[in-house]
Amino acid sequence: MSRLSATLAAALLISLEASGKTVRGLFRSEAARQENGQFITKFMYQGDNGLLVCRLDNPPLAGEKEAKLLLFQDMDSDLDNLSCSQRLSKAHFTIPLNQEERNQTIPRQSSPTAWQVLFADRYTCEESSVTPAYSDLSFTLLLFNPDSAGNPLDHFSAEEAGLHSFYFLLLLAYFIACCIYIQPLYQALKKGGPMHTVLKVLTMALALQGCSALCNYIHLARYCRDGAGVPLMGSLAEFWDMVSQVSMLYMLLSLCMGWTLSRGRKPQSRPLQWERSPASTAMAVGGMVTQGVLLLWEQYSEAESEHHSYHTQQSLAGLLLVALRVGLSLLLASVLYQIISTERSTLKRDFYLSFAKGCFLWFLCHPVLILISVIFNDHQREKVITIGVILCQSISMVILYQLFLSRSLYWEVSSLSSVSLPLTMSRTNHRGRL
């Protein structure tokens, strides 16, 4: 068991390290032979003066093995159908590794273009002979894009450019909002009341998203200096975001399913409340566990991608996650349609419509942004989804906060008629009207 844990931990560290643009590892002749070229990393160059730097710990051994790096531009699946020698001959650049450090300038890119780096040596395409028991080659690979001054000093790949500044501005916005609203929020939480549980869950989800943004910023701030960042912070950012997503899902499902399952058996003179009944709790927990499993599966299946909280959903887990969110949106739409269609009060209809906007924005922003991202270039899609989802979900939280903190709306609705309100938590000491 301990050996398995150690193996998993080592694999995780390797995948985290390889995701940076300062790549450290081993050139393995056997791996290069099995794969028709050992895949090292991928980097999207843009503009002029792109640079690749390879440093070796044992240049004489590399020279003896005739080691080399192969650079492919927009490597496609057609190369998989070629023989080993034909595949390697398609490389745009071949860099002999016979010195302690080799530099390769990338020609000007009219548009951001992905380049794949492969390792090969004299034994890669030999089928009959046995690979000699040479030691593996330790290497450090540095990849640079031009900075604003045109110097090859920027570690960020083209699809990552701008994320560092975005997280800085996001943290600044969180800080300003916290300074403005912390006092009224604290007073509302201190007073308790029917919205106490909902406000606690919302506040926890928002705090977790803030922690995720902070971890991402720390990771990217270090990344821009050394190209590796702090992989642990990237993993923590994903973890905090997953917990935030699951918390919000549990709250929204509890509110909606509590209303649906309780509506028929509540007396007309008492408020319809968010009860922790076995049925509603089971459905909320089931949805929460399903999303949590899919999020973990998605992160595991895309372990070799960069440490961003949102992906373009090319894996099966990602597609199932999108389907889950769309299904939950349809469920929510059905529940709210039943409420609004039978509601005569304009004030209460406005309340439910605002609640629906916040919920739909939270659930549907990710699937919709994935569809919208198709019209963008490859290097823009990840940023469109990442930035768009964070902003949309932040707006969703603002809408819900306005509803649950506004005495002029929710408390008026509660006082008019509490027959159909789904947004209160039943307690033994709150059995009367709100």
Side-chain angles (χ1 to χ4, degrees):
M1 186 68 179
S2 59
R3 180 176 299 179
L4 176 60
S5 301
T7 303
L8 292 175
L12 177 61
L13 289 175
I14 290 172
S15 67
L16 294 181
E17 187 175 39
S19 69
K21 290 305 166 273
T22 295
V23 184
R24 297 180 178 88
L26 296 173
F27 291 138
R28 296 185 173 91
S29 297
E30 187 62 30
R33 186 175 179 180
Q34 293 176 357
E35 303 169 10
N36 290 339
Q38 179 188 0
F39 177 80
I40 304 302
T41 191
K42 181 176 73 171
F43 192 78
M44 187 168 284
Y45 284 101
Q46 62 180 349
D48 299 321
N49 299 326
L51 181 65
L52 181 147
V53 179
C54 183
R55 297 170 182 165
L56 298 176
D57 292 344
N58 193 345
L61 177 60
E64 186 176 352
K65 297 170 67 172
E66 298 180 9
K68 55 189 175 183
L69 282 182
L70 305 172
L71 273 65
F72 293 84
Q73 184 177 5
D74 285 331
M75 197 172 185
D76 53 38
S77 58
D78 294 338
L79 294 178
D80 297 335
N81 301 323
L82 301 178
S83 66
C84 177
S85 57
Q86 290 176 329
R87 172 187 168 94
L88 300 186
S89 66
K90 296 293 184 179
H92 290 74
F93 292 101
T94 300
I95 308 172
L97 300 177
N98 51 15
Q99 300 177 13
E100 184 175 354
E101 180 174 315
R102 289 302 302 263
N103 298 337
Q104 175 66 50
T105 300
I106 306 300
R108 184 180 186 279
Q109 307 294 300
S110 57
S111 61
T113 307
W115 289 74
Q116 287 81 18
V117 182
L118 272 65
F119 165 77
D121 58 21
R122 61 186 296 183
Y123 308 105
T124 299
C125 293
E126 293 185 5
E127 299 179 358
S128 57
S129 62
V130 178
T131 304
Y134 283 119
S135 300
D136 296 328
L137 285 169
S138 299
F139 72 90
T140 300
L141 198 65
L142 308 174
L143 301 102
F144 299 95
N145 264 319
D147 59 13
S148 57
N151 301 315
L153 299 173
D154 186 1
H155 286 282
F156 287 108
S157 185
E159 72 269 20
E160 303 167 317
L163 287 177
H164 180 225
S165 299
F166 167 73
Y167 281 112
F168 173 77
L169 294 175
L170 181 64
L171 286 174
L172 181 61
Y174 278 151
F175 177 76
I176 295 174
C178 183
C179 292
I180 296 174
Y181 296 108
I182 188 65
Q183 186 65 25
L185 179 59
Y186 173 76
Q187 292 176 353
L189 290 173
K190 187 177 179 180
K191 290 179 180 179
M195 287 293 95
H196 186 256
T197 302
V198 176
L199 289 176
K200 282 199 303 183
V201 176
L202 267 177
T203 303
M204 182 184 71
L206 184 59
L208 289 171
Q209 285 209 332
C211 290
S212 175
L214 179 60
C215 290
N216 269 319
Y217 177 75
I218 294 173
H219 172 58
L220 294 175
R222 178 72 176 272
Y223 186 103
C224 71
R225 296 197 300 269
D226 61 13
V230 186
L232 176 61
M233 285 295 171
S235 298
L236 283 175
E238 292 180 348
F239 174 75
W240 296 132
D241 180 73
M242 284 191 288
V243 177
S244 174
Q245 298 287 329
V246 169
S247 300
M248 284 292 293
L249 177 65
Y250 178 74
M251 183 195 74
L252 295 177
L253 275 182
S254 295
L255 293 175
C256 295
M257 297 315 301
W259 182 88
T260 303
L261 298 173
S262 302
R263 187 184 184 191
R265 57 183 174 84
K266 281 287 179 181
Q268 296 296 312
S269 60
R270 296 177 57 192
L272 183 61
Q273 299 177 350
W274 171 19
E275 291 190 345
R276 289 176 177 169
S277 63
S280 61
T281 301
M283 297 194 69
V285 171
M288 178 182 68
V289 171
T290 302
Q291 175 168 284
V293 170
L294 289 177
L295 285 170
L296 290 173
W297 183 13
E298 180 198 13
Q299 297 301 327
Y300 175 78
S301 62
E302 300 187 7
E304 293 183 356
S305 64
E306 306 303 330
H307 278 283
H308 301 156
S309 297
Y310 305 97
H311 303 283
T312 51
Q313 309 300 342
Q314 297 177 354
S315 65
L316 176 61
L319 295 176
L320 290 175
L321 194 58
V322 170
L324 174 65
R325 287 168 176 158
V326 173
L328 292 174
S329 300
L330 294 176
L331 173 64
L332 178 65
S334 174
V335 171
L336 292 176
Y337 175 77
Q338 295 178 50
I339 300 176
I340 296 173
S341 61
T342 58
E343 184 56 61
R344 297 181 179 180
S345 169
T346 303
L347 183 61
K348 291 166 68 176
R349 281 200 302 269
D350 291 341
F351 176 88
Y352 290 123
L353 287 172
S354 297
F355 177 70
K357 291 176 184 177
C359 294
F360 289 146
L361 188 58
W362 179 273
F363 284 124
L364 290 179
C365 62
H366 199 179
V368 170
L369 284 168
I370 290 174
L371 294 177
I372 294 176
S373 68
V374 175
I375 66 176
F376 292 89
N377 296 322
D378 291 342
H379 69 283
Q380 297 172 321
R381 291 174 185 170
E382 186 81 11
K383 289 185 287 189
V384 168
I385 296 174
T386 301
I387 296 174
V389 169
I390 292 175
L391 292 180
C392 288
Q393 292 189 343
S394 298
I395 295 172
S396 172
M397 285 188 174
V398 170
I399 293 174
L400 295 176
Y401 262 122
Q402 286 180 337
L403 282 177
F404 300 145
L405 284 175
S406 175
R407 291 183 177 274
S408 62
L409 181 56
Y410 184 83
W411 267 260
E412 277 190 49
V413 173
S414 302
S415 62
L416 285 176
S417 173
S418 52
V419 173
S420 60
L421 291 180
L423 304 177
T424 57
M425 171 65 78
S426 64
R427 299 173 183 270
T428 56
N429 58 342
H430 291 290
R431 293 295 185 181
R433 289 184 176 272
L434 298 180

